[in-house]
């Protein structure tokens, strides 16, 4: 009976494959099943599922094989019934042919249990492309893929993730199918550059598929226009989807730990945002959306930036207007001197109608302030000054206060000198006090503070009587001192008035007689 069965299989192997011939003769239970047949460097390994009979055990296992366009022959037999694999050399000639195994069971009449037939598996798994690759917040890259249809991937055991650089690829990780359909490259630094990856599938016989299409991450960068108060995001387009990219979604956050919000969508690879606050840190990333009815996306690297726009100055402040010699010096500063392009300086005797007198470059900063000497005015008149600021973009950036000069007047009554002046105005801290300075032209030029008044008193009388009417003259100035404790900017400045002087006519006594030869009155 055994001989008859063997002859039938020899003549009709296809019938065995299609109809399971002889399965009715196996009183020991279901037939054996081949699991896989692999080949590596000519060595063939046949694996089958464990088979247990219900009779008196297994006498031996027979291994049969056929070469293409030939007939089955007995390759070998083994008596170790616990075996589930068999390996033999020089098996390349069996490529394209079939194999099967027989269990000879020790039942009455020596029952034969015959397996299904199977070819050597030399066919690699399907070429597999990533669904998408995305950059994670820490710069790592996650690569995802699909195993549909399931039948095509039934024998796939793992996927090799390869990094692609130019025309070269470098295996990064192997992900086994039962652990998921994605992998993470923890060595990537996609926050610094765009990266490319492709996949290779591996089946149970270690056949490796050809490499799939490479997918490349989007790489995001930014720039800002401090004059237009805008931030422009630019990125390299996502590559790998055959159908291309449908759109890119832009996400923004002021605190990345609290998540991002969608701020717009574009079809290109740039986006300009004009509604951001100045001097504020923002976080961005873009998300590519695949052109498909099933939403598939890829996220770029994340970037952060602090806006540094040319903003309106917090203050433009004329610190002092002070008479110096025969002119008036104006000193001022701003809250952000490095952003100053230029100033326009205005002047007039009427605060309501000031006229432009000069343009001052923003590069003329000295010790934190700008200065201008106006020598085209009479210091005996009150002059108002005003500064307009323009930033380096040429945009108006703020205007100053409108302070004025101090004009001192002198009246005499006998030996008393009455001094009066207009109050200095528009210091933030106000005037703390006024000092009256007197100078006398003598052999040595003497300058003394002869008195002070509070910031609300603008008159003073010099009662000092001094001899020597032959002196050339006496001059006065007033010094205003700012109340620095009250200045919101912390300044404590001084402003000087014009100088007023007088000269007494000398008293000359002429004798009405003289003695030519005498000791006195001889002229």
């Amino acid at each position: 009976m055994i001989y008859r069965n063997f002859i039938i299989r020899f003549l009709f192997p296809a019938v065995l494959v299609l109809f399971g011939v002889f399965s009715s003769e196996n009183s020991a239970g279901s037939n054996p099943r081949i699991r896989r047949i692999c080949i590596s460097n000519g060595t063939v390994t046949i694996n089958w599922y464990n088979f247990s009979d219900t009779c008196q055990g297994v006498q031996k296992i027979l291994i049969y094989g056929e070469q293409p366009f030939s007939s089955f022959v007995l390759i070998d037999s083994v008596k170790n019934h616990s075996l589930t694999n068999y390996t033999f050399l020089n098996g390349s000639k069996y490529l394209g042919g079939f194999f099967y195994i027989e269990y000879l069971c020790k039942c009455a009449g020596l029952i034969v249990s015959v397996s299904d037939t199977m070819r050597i598996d030399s066919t690699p798994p399907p070429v597999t492309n990533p669904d998408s690759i995305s950059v994670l917040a820490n710069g790592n890259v996650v690569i995802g893929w699909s195993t549909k249809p399931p039948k095509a991937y039934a024998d796939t055991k793992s996927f090799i993730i390869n990094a692609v650089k130019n025309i070269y690829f470098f295996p990064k990780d192997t992900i086994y199918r039962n652990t998921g359909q994605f992998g993470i490259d923890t060595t990537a630094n996609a926050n610094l550059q765009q990266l490319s990856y492709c996949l290779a599938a591996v089946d149970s016989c270690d056949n490796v598929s050809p490499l799939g299409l490479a997918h490349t991450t989007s790489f995001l960068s930014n720039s800002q226009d401090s004059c237009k108060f805008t931030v422009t995001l630019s990125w390299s387009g996502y590559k790998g989807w055959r159908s291309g990219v449908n759109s890119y979604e832009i996400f923004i956050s002021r605190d990345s730990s609290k998540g991002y919000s969608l701020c717009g969508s574009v079809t290109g690879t740039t986006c300009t945002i004009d509604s951001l606050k100045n001097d504020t840190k923002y976080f961005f990333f873009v998300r590519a959306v695949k052109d498909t009815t099933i939403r598939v996306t890829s996220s770029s690297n994340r970037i952060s930036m602090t806006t540094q726009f040319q903003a309106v100055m917090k203050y433009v402040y004329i610190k002092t207007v002070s008479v110096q010699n025969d002119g008036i010096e104006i000193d001022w500063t701003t809250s952000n001197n490095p952003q100053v392009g230029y100033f326009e300086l205005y002047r007039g005797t009427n605060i309501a109608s000031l006229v432009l007198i000069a343009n001052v470059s923003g590069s003329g900063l000295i010790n934190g302030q700008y200065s201008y000497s106006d020598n085209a005015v009479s210091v005996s008149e009150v002059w108002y000054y005003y500064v307009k600021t323009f930033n380096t973009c040429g945009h108006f950036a703020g205007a100053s206060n409108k302070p004025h000069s101090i004009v001192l007047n002198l009246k005499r009554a006998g030996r008393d000198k009455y001094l009066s002046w207009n109050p200095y105005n528009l210091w933030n801290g106000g005037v703390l006090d006024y000092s009256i300075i007197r100078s006398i032209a003598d052999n040595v030029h003497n300058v003394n503070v002869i008195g002070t008044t509070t910031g609300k008193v603008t008159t003073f009388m010099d009662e000092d009587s001094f001899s020597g009417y032959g002196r050339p003259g006496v001059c006065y100035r007033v010094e205003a001192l700012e109340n620095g404790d009250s200045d919101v900017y912390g300044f404590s400045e001084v402003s000087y008035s014009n100088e007023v002087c007088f000269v007494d006519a000398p008293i000359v006594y002429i004798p009405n007689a003289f003695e030519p030869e005498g000791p006195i009155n001889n002229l």
Side-chain angles (χ1 to χ4, degrees):
M1 182 176 176
I2 298 174
Y3 179 80
R4 179 177 62 80
N5 290 341
F6 177 77
I7 294 299
I8 293 175
R9 286 190 296 275
F10 181 83
L11 295 177
F12 307 105
V15 176
L16 178 66
V17 175
L18 297 176
F19 302 106
V21 178
F22 307 111
S23 60
S24 61
E25 298 183 27
N26 182 14
S27 62
S30 61
N31 289 359
R33 280 196 309 127
I34 295 179
R35 187 171 189 174
R36 70 177 68 90
I37 304 175
C38 305
I39 186 169
S40 176
N41 297 322
T43 299
V44 174
T45 301
I46 304 173
N47 290 273
W48 59 88
Y49 293 96
N50 186 44
F51 176 74
S52 298
D53 69 286
T54 57
C55 294
Q56 301 173 11
V58 175
Q59 184 182 71
K60 58 183 174 180
I61 303 171
L62 306 179
I63 294 93
Y64 291 90
E66 69 162 356
Q67 299 179 35
F69 310 107
S70 183
S71 302
F72 283 97
V73 296
L74 179 65
I75 296 175
D76 200 355
S77 63
V78 293
K79 294 184 178 181
N80 184 353
H81 65 274
S82 64
L83 285 179
T84 57
N85 63 80
Y86 176 80
T87 298
F88 65 95
L89 304 177
N90 302 318
S92 298
K93 59 186 178 181
Y94 288 94
L95 282 173
F98 287 87
F99 292 85
Y100 70 89
I101 61 173
E102 284 184 347
Y103 274 77
L104 301 185
C105 303
K106 298 177 182 179
C107 295
L110 196 61
I111 299 301
V112 178
S113 294
V114 184
S115 76
D116 55 341
T117 62
M118 184 178 290
R119 282 193 176 100
I120 292 175
D121 182 3
S122 60
T123 303
V127 173
T128 304
N129 300 318
D131 279 345
S132 68
I133 62 177
S134 286
V135 182
L136 301 178
N138 59 4
N140 293 342
V141 177
V142 57
I143 303 97
W145 59 87
S146 171
T147 55
K148 293 181 180 180
K151 184 177 180 180
Y153 289 93
D155 190 40
T156 303
K157 71 173 183 178
S158 63
F159 297 87
I160 301 172
I161 298 173
N162 300 282
V164 181
K165 296 182 180 179
N166 299 321
I167 61 174
Y168 304 101
F169 64 94
F170 306 90
K172 303 295 291 186
D173 199 0
T174 296
I175 305 299
Y176 287 90
R177 183 177 175 183
N178 60 357
T179 62
Q181 293 173 217
F182 69 91
I184 298 176
D185 181 4
T186 58
T187 65
N189 195 348
N191 286 328
L192 299 179
Q193 60 187 328
Q194 62 180 153
L195 298 173
S196 300
Y197 296 86
C198 66
L199 296 171
V202 183
D203 67 11
S204 60
C205 284
D206 292 327
N207 296 311
V208 181
S209 73
L211 294 175
L213 291 176
H215 282 226
T216 304
T217 61
S218 296
F219 183 70
L220 177 63
S221 59
N222 73 86
S223 62
Q224 57 180 308
D225 190 324
S226 62
C227 297
K228 296 180 179 179
F229 314 118
T230 59
V231 169
T232 298
L233 302 178
S234 304
W235 57 92
S236 57
Y238 183 84
K239 298 176 183 178
W241 292 325
R242 294 182 185 275
S243 58
V245 176
N246 180 57
S247 62
Y248 291 94
E249 298 171 339
I250 297 90
F251 290 84
I252 186 172
S253 174
R254 290 181 62 180
D255 184 350
S256 58
S257 66
K258 295 181 179 179
Y260 289 76
S261 59
L262 178 67
C263 74
S265 177
V266 297
T267 56
T269 55
T270 61
C271 176
T272 298
I273 304 173
D274 60 4
S275 57
L276 303 179
K277 294 183 178 181
N278 193 21
D279 197 27
T280 303
K281 188 172 185 178
Y282 289 93
F283 300 83
F284 300 95
F285 76 91
V286 297
R287 179 176 289 163
V289 181
K290 186 179 179 181
D291 185 11
T292 180
T293 55
I294 301 176
R295 182 175 170 85
V296 179
T297 65
S298 169
S299 297
S300 74
N301 57 306
R302 286 158 173 76
I303 61 173
S304 64
M305 59 162 294
T306 300
T307 53
Q308 295 178 330
F309 302 144
Q310 291 272 16
V312 173
M313 305 290 175
K314 293 180 180 178
Y315 62 84
V316 181
Y317 184 57
I318 296 180
K319 299 168 67 176
T320 182
V321 173
S322 182
V323 176
Q324 300 292 335
N325 299 320
D326 293 327
I328 297 177
E329 182 176 298
I330 306 97
D331 297 333
W332 69 93
T333 189
T334 76
S335 60
N336 198 356
N337 290 323
Q339 290 187 358
V340 174
Y342 66 96
F343 300 95
E344 290 181 348
L345 180 62
Y346 293 78
R347 175 191 67 200
T349 56
N350 186 334
I351 194 172
S353 57
L354 307 182
V355 297
L356 178 65
I357 63 169
N359 287 321
V360 180
S361 172
S363 62
L365 183 70
I366 299 176
N367 296 326
Q369 72 177 26
Y370 298 87
S371 296
Y372 182 84
S373 294
D374 185 6
N375 297 312
V377 294
S378 169
V379 296
S380 61
E381 293 182 89
V382 176
W383 293 99
Y384 292 85
Y385 291 89
Y386 173 62
V387 169
K388 285 185 177 180
T389 308
F390 296 83
N391 60 29
T392 54
C393 305
H395 298 161
F396 174 72
S400 73
N401 51 330
K402 296 179 180 179
H404 56 71
S405 60
I406 303 173
V407 174
L408 176 63
N409 296 294
L410 170 66
K411 290 183 179 181
R412 297 174 61 197
R415 291 190 173 185
D416 295 331
K417 279 73 68 178
Y418 291 93
L419 302 170
S420 63
W421 60 92
N422 62 300
Y424 187 86
N425 197 15
L426 290 185
W427 268 333
N428 283 311
V431 177
L432 178 64
D433 58 41
Y434 295 98
S435 296
I436 295 84
I437 302 171
R438 184 179 68 193
S439 61
I440 302 172
D442 205 343
N443 294 332
V444 178
H445 193 75
N446 295 316
V447 179
N448 297 288
V449 175
I450 62 173
T452 59
T453 68
T454 66
K456 295 182 179 181
V457 176
T458 57
T459 61
F460 183 82
M461 185 178 71
D462 181 10
E463 298 177 337
D464 188 15
S465 298
F466 49 89
S467 60
Y469 282 93
R471 299 182 184 191
V474 179
C475 297
Y476 296 91
R477 293 182 77 189
V478 168
E479 177 192 71
L481 176 63
E482 182 181 9
N483 186 356
D485 292 339
S486 300
D487 189 287
V488 295
Y489 305 130
F491 299 132
S492 181
E493 301 297 327
V494 296
S495 175
Y496 290 95
S497 73
N498 59 313
E499 186 177 62
V500 294
C501 302
F502 73 90
V503 177
D504 275 324
I507 300 174
V508 180
Y509 296 92
I510 300 176
N512 55 9
F514 68 96
E515 182 182 0
E517 299 297 332
I520 59 173
N521 294 332
N522 54 13
L523 292 178

